[in-house]
Amino acid sequence: MAKKTTQKASGVEDLLEKPEEIASRLERGEAYVKQNSKLVGGILIAVIVVIAGALYFQIDNQNKNEKAQEEMFQAVYYFEQDSVDYALNGDGSNPGFLKIVDQYGRTDAANLAHFYIGSIYLSQGKFQDAVDHLKKFSSDDYFVQARAFSLLGDAYLELGNTSDAISSYKKAVDHKENKFFAPRYLSKLAVAYEEAGDIENAIKTYSTIEEKYFESYEYTNARKHKARLEGLASK
């Protein structure tokens, strides 16, 4: 290894001591560029186009997101006031969530709009529509994302899809688990297990609430339902 390093260093020193060799190599490089000017120029143009396109997309998306957030303000207000028709479809002057999703796809605002739309459809009994929108939502906020998983589980359970309901509730529980919301999601998970006929896992889930979240609101119900299921299992 040392011998190779020495030889390499020696070669560099020899080159530095021979300026005519450096000049010769530069001339050959210049000649290559001249002979292949179209190729080199094409590569440079392609690189510039790619960079310019990426910058344009980023800036355009940011501008769309800011505009979408401004336009969505009224829809959020209607949602909070339980005026869900206006929240979904707008009021004639301000767009609703559906239009935000349609016009400003791939923006943060449209992503959040999917959460609101899914929540509304769930409350209206449009469970498949709720699933379709909630599946498109994602967030770094642990509370909102866990809530979305839970709502998705609710929609699946209403559709009779206990397998996906269980999977969604598990995601809600495991998503940065905390003592305030985990017991609620665990209770839903236990119900989904029972609906699926998996009494053993339903009992285990209620036991988790009993053992880990004894200060929670769900604790008393967990004990009651666990006892009920144990009674059924012993028959």
Side-chain angles (χ1 to χ4, degrees), residues 171-192:
K171 289 178 181 178
V173 172
D174 296 336
H175 191 74
K176 300 180 181 178
E177 185 176 354
N178 66 86
K179 65 180 181 179
F180 299 107
F181 302 106
R184 183 184 307 173
Y185 302 146
L186 283 166
S187 293
K188 291 186 176 187
L189 177 59
V191 170

Side-chain angles (χ1 to χ4, degrees), residues 8-160:
K8 190 180 291 185
S10 175
V12 173
E13 290 175 0
D14 290 343
L15 182 62
L16 292 175
E17 291 173 0
K18 296 177 181 179
E20 65 277 4
E21 179 65 22
I22 296 175
S24 175
R25 293 190 182 187
L26 289 174
E27 288 175 0
R28 289 200 297 271
E30 290 175 359
Y32 176 82
V33 172
K34 289 179 180 178
Q35 292 172 3
N36 301 275
S37 58
K38 290 184 178 180
L39 174 62
V40 174
I43 292 173
L44 288 174
I45 290 172
V47 171
I48 291 171
V49 168
V50 170
I51 294 174
L55 288 174
Y56 173 80
F57 177 81
Q58 184 177 357
I59 294 171
D60 182 61
N61 197 60
Q62 182 177 347
N63 290 337
K64 284 182 178 179
N65 186 55
E66 291 176 357
K67 186 176 181 181
Q69 287 179 342
E70 291 176 3
E71 292 189 4
M72 196 168 73
F73 177 82
Q74 190 63 39
V76 173
Y77 172 78
Y78 284 133
F79 177 84
E80 292 173 347
Q81 299 300 312
D82 291 327
S83 299
V84 293
D85 186 58
Y86 284 151
L88 278 178
N89 303 302
D91 58 10
S93 299
N94 301 286
F97 293 126
L98 291 173
K99 190 172 183 179
I100 295 294
V101 166
D102 184 56
Q103 287 192 339
Y104 302 102
R106 297 185 179 181
T107 63
D108 292 339
N111 176 53
L112 185 57
H114 280 300
F115 174 82
Y116 284 116
I117 295 169
S119 301
I120 292 171
Y121 281 149
L122 181 61
S123 69
Q124 293 178 335
K126 299 177 181 178
F127 304 121
Q128 187 56 56
D129 290 332
V131 167
D132 293 340
H133 284 278
L134 289 169
K135 285 175 66 176
K136 294 176 182 178
F137 171 75
S138 64
S139 175
D140 293 330
D141 186 291
Y142 81 91
F143 168 73
V144 179
Q145 183 59 73
R147 174 66 174 160
F149 286 141
S150 177
L151 293 176
L152 192 56
D154 293 345
Y156 278 130
L157 196 61
E158 292 290 349
L159 289 168

Side-chain angles (χ1 to χ4, degrees), residues 186-187 189-195 197-209 222 225-226 228-229:
L186 283 166
S187 293
L189 177 59
V191 170
Y193 275 131
E194 185 176 356
E195 285 288 321
D198 190 347
I199 303 302
E200 181 181 354
N201 273 316
I203 292 172
K204 287 180 180 179
T205 303
Y206 284 128
S207 293
T208 300
I209 298 173
H225 288 298
K226 178 186 172 184
R228 175 179 59 82
L229 292 178

Side-chain angles (χ1 to χ4, degrees), residues 208-234:
T208 300
I209 298 173
E210 193 176 19
E211 295 165 6
K212 293 180 63 176
Y213 303 103
F214 49 85
E215 295 180 345
S216 68
Y217 174 80
E218 290 77 12
Y219 173 77
T220 301
N221 279 332
R223 293 190 66 188
K224 180 179 69 176
H225 288 298
K226 178 186 172 184
R228 175 179 59 82
L229 292 178
E230 287 175 335
L232 289 175
S234 65

